Amino acid sequence: MTTVLRPHAEDHYAEELALLAKEDDRARPPGWRLSPWAVTTYLLGDGDRITPKYIGARRIVEVAVATLATDRALLLLGVPGTAKTWLSEHLAAAISGDSTLLVQGTAGTAEEAIRYGWNYARLLAEGPSRDALTPSPVMRAMAEGRIARVEELTRMPSDVQDALITVLSEKTLPIPELNEEVQARRGFNLIATANDRDRGVNELSSALRRRFNTVVLPVPASAEEEVAIVARRVAELGRSLELPETSAGMAEIRRVVTVFRELRDGVTEDGRTKLKSPSGTLSTAEAISVLTGGIALAAHFGDGVVRAADVAAGIVGAVVREPVSDRVVWREYLETVVREREDWRDLYRACREVP
């Protein structure tokens, strides 16, 4: 039993990766642990021994994998909750066997996170040297021929983003203080994720954008597809968190997904009623969070069956982000849609009781 709350993909799915590596007889790009075909099978599953990690169009995954087999970097673009981080982690795990070479983009990310830094105690004592240098995850990926990941690229300041231009175009990282450079070994590439819906976004320069092949990850196309994604991830999270056995029925999952989809799309499922949309994204990831919280409530404070009362607070919390405008949107939806559905009366009452 591991005490790690969330194992890295290469650890959690080590048996599947080993199985694919053993049976994979197709051509592998230099530095890759699996062939592109096996990487795609790992991500989408085979209906038998390999579980699906990403549920979506096969062509999206194939384009992403093929991009990483070239000298072009990969940019996964999409609204929050479309599994950009999840997909990038599993791509790195399958290709390199290491998904930990990660740079987290924020407004405060410094250029050293992309290039390198210094151990200042050794720098002062010995002067500039390789031993005093602190490599970034990107530098390590280049030196080891692995996949580097940059999360939330557009949250970084523009000048920090542009530190990637030389890395991606020349496949080299100069170290002028040592009159040296690190050249990328075969197998190196970079996966970045970004979305343009959140605040604090810095547009990519045209020079940097040209270095990427952009793959847009869409929201699930149908309610059935989204329900399947949510059900699978909720079950996985329940096992990972070792929550007591709880019945999270598909009916409750479907209701949460329906609420989120209708408010997100601005129209009811039957297309008859137009709705106002709240300020939040109401993503698939948020639906998973609401239902996981509902399972915890049902397991520890209920009878082990997830009911409307267990998910009501999570739904309201996800929808009402702006206290004034979102509350108006939610009240209107609650009274005109939820209240009128005969089999949703329990959800209506539970949501009304949320403070």
Side-chain angles (χ1 to χ4, degrees):
M1 294 290 289
T2 179
T3 58
V4 176
L5 185 60
R6 185 186 180 280
H8 297 302
E10 59 271 21
D11 299 325
H12 190 66
Y13 296 99
E15 290 184 6
E16 292 186 15
L17 289 167
L19 177 64
L20 282 167
K22 182 179 179 180
E23 298 180 353
D24 185 15
D25 58 357
R26 304 194 181 208
R28 305 181 188 185
W32 283 39
R33 296 201 169 193
L34 298 173
S35 68
W37 175 87
V39 172
T40 303
T41 302
Y42 167 74
L43 287 164
L44 297 175
D46 65 355
D48 183 16
R49 297 171 296 174
I50 307 301
T51 59
K53 319 302 180 300
Y54 177 78
I55 298 176
R58 182 180 184 87
R59 198 59 176 174
I60 289 176
V61 175
E62 289 176 343
V63 170
V65 173
T67 296
L68 293 170
T70 70
D71 64 347
R72 297 266 297 195
L74 174 65
L75 176 62
L76 298 175
L77 190 66
V79 299
T82 49
K84 299 183 297 297
T85 298
W86 180 255
L87 184 56
S88 75
E89 178 185 358
H90 284 282
L91 281 167
I95 292 170
S96 298
D98 185 359
S99 63
T100 65
L101 298 173
L102 171 68
V103 177
Q104 179 60 57
T106 69
T109 300
E111 193 171 324
E112 288 80 3
I114 299 293
R115 300 176 72 242
Y116 53 86
W118 296 97
N119 179 328
Y120 287 103
R122 301 197 69 160
L123 184 64
L124 291 173
E126 306 169 6
S129 67
R130 272 290 185 142
D131 291 336
L133 186 143
T134 304
S136 70
V138 175
M139 177 182 276
R140 287 178 54 202
M142 295 176 70
E144 298 169 11
R146 298 180 183 272
I147 299 290
R149 299 166 55 211
V150 178
E151 289 296 313
E152 302 292 355
L153 177 60
T154 51
R155 286 189 172 277
M156 294 181 182
S158 298
D159 56 331
V160 178
Q161 294 176 13
D162 287 345
L164 287 169
I165 292 177
T166 300
V167 170
L168 298 181
S169 59
E170 304 298 327
K171 300 298 187 290
T172 184
L173 182 57
I175 312 174
E177 296 90 341
L178 303 180
N179 197 27
E180 295 181 16
E181 65 179 11
V182 173
Q183 290 184 298
R185 294 180 59 186
R186 290 180 179 271
F188 166 73
N189 213 324
L190 186 139
I191 307 171
T193 67
N195 74 75
D196 54 7
R197 291 281 295 273
D198 284 350
R199 296 172 184 173
V201 168
N202 299 299
E203 288 294 329
L204 299 182
S205 67
S206 57
L208 181 56
R209 189 175 284 274
R210 285 197 302 271
R211 269 68 182 184
F212 285 101
N213 185 33
T214 301
V215 172
V216 178
L217 299 185
V219 296
S222 67
E224 291 302 322
E225 185 177 312
E226 190 162 2
V227 167
I229 293 169
V230 172
R232 179 178 294 277
R233 285 294 296 137
V234 166
E236 289 175 352
L237 283 171
R239 290 192 296 269
S240 174
L241 297 171
E242 295 186 24
L243 292 173
E245 282 294 327
T246 305
S247 175
M250 291 300 292
E252 209 60 59
I253 293 174
R254 189 179 302 279
R255 286 206 294 193
V256 172
V257 168
T258 299
V259 170
F260 279 29
R261 287 183 69 88
E262 289 183 332
L263 286 170
R264 189 169 66 213
D265 297 341
V267 64
T268 54
E269 206 170 32
D270 58 12
R272 294 180 179 178
T273 307
K274 290 188 176 180
L275 305 167
K276 296 176 183 175
S277 295
S279 59
T281 56
L282 299 181
S283 65
T284 307
E286 289 170 293
I288 293 167
S289 178
V290 167
L291 283 154
T292 304
I295 288 176
L297 281 171
H300 296 298
F301 303 104
D303 60 1
V305 178
V306 178
R307 304 184 190 280
D310 300 313
V311 298
I315 292 173
V316 175
V319 174
V320 183
R321 298 295 177 84
E322 295 288 343
V324 178
S325 60
D326 286 349
R327 192 166 292 279
V328 172
V329 171
W330 172 243
R331 285 296 181 190
E332 183 177 311
Y333 178 76
L334 191 62
E335 297 298 332
T336 60
V337 178
V338 178
R339 183 180 183 179
E340 298 303 315
R341 290 175 174 164
E342 192 68 32
D343 56 342
W344 283 30
R345 292 295 175 84
D346 57 335
L347 181 61
Y348 173 75
R349 289 191 296 271
C351 290
R352 289 274 298 177
E353 291 171 3
V354 174

